[in-house]
């Protein structure tokens, strides 16, 4: 053992005291400096990861607005195609709003589209919308609803893509992960289920006498809405337990959304039990739209909270 330290002892014995202290300082600085370098490198990676997540949240925000407007356009189109011409001005105004949504999405896409891999997808969506806008008035209510639904599924696919390419889906923290998952997956899917229920009911053959097939579909929509609502409630309460500060901001819109979805499920159940839609279709459109709007209000609150966390 003595032989191992002999070279170091010989070196130290030939140095002045200030040289010895300088050498010791250098020897201690090397590992400390390496540890500090590793730490700052990891911090920089975490910052870059969170910055890309923020980009994803900001890109998804106008995409959700487009989703909401297209779902409403689908319902309005069903009523107009059934002969309710009072919805024509509302359809025209909604189409202007959809064009504004695309403008906002293009602004985000010009900034972040290459990093997120959304450029081609957004171009395809705009072309599909131009075709749908041009032709839906020549369709039956069911055909229009089907084409709208197919287009909306492409919007949801874009949201999933941004969730993947912006690192949102990989978020390592419990609170921000559940907020992300609710924004990217569960709430948009619930809103689309509710939107499909709205469009389907508005396009039934005879509102006064629902067929067995239509009755079965309405039962499915009611069940899916119930399950989606419970999934969101469960996920959000996990986030609340991990981060109590989220409760103050999100508990109220969560409760409002949950209650409205439950009441909507009960309304669908009454249609099933009576084999008839016992309210007017325009009134049903208003009721269902108000329910879906609570979903998007929750989404807006979630997006703000997630961006603040990141």
């Amino acid at each position: 053992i003595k032989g191992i330290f002999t070279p170091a002892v010989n070196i130290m014995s030939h140095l002045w005291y200030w040289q010895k202290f300088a050498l010791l300082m250098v020897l201690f600085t090397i590992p400390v400096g390496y540890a500090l370098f590793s730490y700052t490198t990891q911090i920089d990676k975490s910052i870059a990861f969170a910055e890309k997540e923020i980009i994803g949240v900001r890109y998804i925000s106008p995409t959700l607005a487009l989703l909401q407007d297209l779902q409403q356009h689908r319902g309005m189109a069903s009523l107009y195609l059934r002969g309710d011409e009072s919805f024509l001005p509302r359809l025209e105004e909604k189409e202007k709003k959809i064009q504004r949504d695309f403008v906002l999405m293009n602004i985000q896409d010009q900034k972040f589209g290459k990093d997120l891999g959304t450029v081609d997808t957004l171009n395809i969506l705009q072309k599909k919308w131009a075709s749908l806008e041009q032709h839906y008035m020549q369709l039956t209510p069911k055909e229009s609803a089907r084409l709208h639904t197919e287009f909306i599924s492409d919007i949801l696919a874009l949201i999933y893509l941004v969730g993947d390419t912006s690192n949102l889906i990989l978020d390592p923290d419990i609170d921000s992960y559940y907020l992300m998952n609710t924004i990217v997956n569960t709430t948009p899917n619930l809103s689309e289920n509710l939107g499909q229920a709205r469009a389907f009911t508005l396009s039934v053959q005879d509102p006064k006498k629902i067929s067995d097939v239509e009755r079965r579909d309405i039962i499915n929509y009611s069940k899916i809405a119930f399950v989606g609502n419970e999934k969101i409630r469960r996920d959000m309460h996990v986030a609340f337990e991990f981060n109590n500060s989220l409760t103050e901001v999100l508990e109220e819109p969560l409760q409002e959304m949950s209650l409205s979805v439950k009441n909507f499920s009960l309304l669908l159940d009454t249609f099933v039990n009576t084999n008839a839609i016992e309210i007017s279709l325009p009134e049903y459109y208003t009721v269902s739209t108000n329910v879906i709007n609570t979903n998007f209000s929750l989404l807006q609150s979630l997006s703000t909270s997630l961006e603040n966390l990141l």
Side-chain angles (χ1 to χ4, degrees), residues 107-124:
I107 292 173
Q108 296 297 322
D109 203 66
Q110 289 172 5
K111 295 178 182 177
F112 312 120
K114 290 184 179 179
D115 290 336
L116 298 176
T118 57
V119 176
D120 293 338
T121 301
L122 182 57
N123 288 335
I124 292 171

Side-chain angles (χ1 to χ4, degrees), residues 31-166:
V32 172
Y34 177 76
L36 182 60
F37 173 77
S38 299
Y39 177 74
T40 54
T41 299
Q42 184 60 42
I43 289 295
D44 288 341
K45 289 181 179 179
S46 298
I47 291 173
F49 190 94
E51 285 177 342
K52 196 164 186 180
E53 286 185 282
I54 292 173
I55 289 173
V57 174
R58 291 176 179 173
Y59 193 102
I60 287 174
S61 182
T63 309
L64 290 172
L66 175 65
L67 175 66
Q68 182 179 18
D69 288 328
L70 281 166
Q71 289 172 341
Q72 291 177 2
H73 189 275
R74 175 177 54 193
M76 293 178 186
S78 292
L79 283 169
Y80 174 75
L81 294 172
R82 291 185 73 98
D84 191 338
E85 295 186 0
S86 67
F87 274 84
L88 181 58
R90 297 172 66 176
L91 275 169
E92 293 172 344
E93 185 60 35
K94 185 58 62 176
E95 287 163 11
K96 293 178 182 178
K97 177 65 168 58
I98 290 172
Q99 292 298 340
R100 291 195 293 270
D101 293 336
F102 273 117
V103 169
L104 293 176
M105 289 179 65
N106 274 291
I107 292 173
Q108 296 297 322
D109 203 66
Q110 289 172 5
K111 295 178 182 177
F112 312 120
K114 290 184 179 179
D115 290 336
L116 298 176
T118 57
V119 176
D120 293 338
T121 301
L122 182 57
N123 288 335
I124 292 171
L125 286 176
Q126 292 180 105
K127 291 177 182 178
K128 284 186 175 181
W129 165 245
S131 176
L132 179 60
E133 184 182 17
Q134 183 178 0
H135 296 107
Y136 77 90
M137 285 193 175
Q138 286 77 49
L139 304 175
T140 66
K142 285 187 179 296
E143 289 172 340
S144 172
R146 179 181 61 80
L147 291 180
H148 275 83
T149 299
E150 290 176 358
F151 182 66
I152 288 170
S153 68
D154 293 335
I155 301 295
L156 291 172
L158 175 61
I159 294 174
Y160 304 150
L161 172 64
V162 174
D164 290 338
T165 58
S166 66

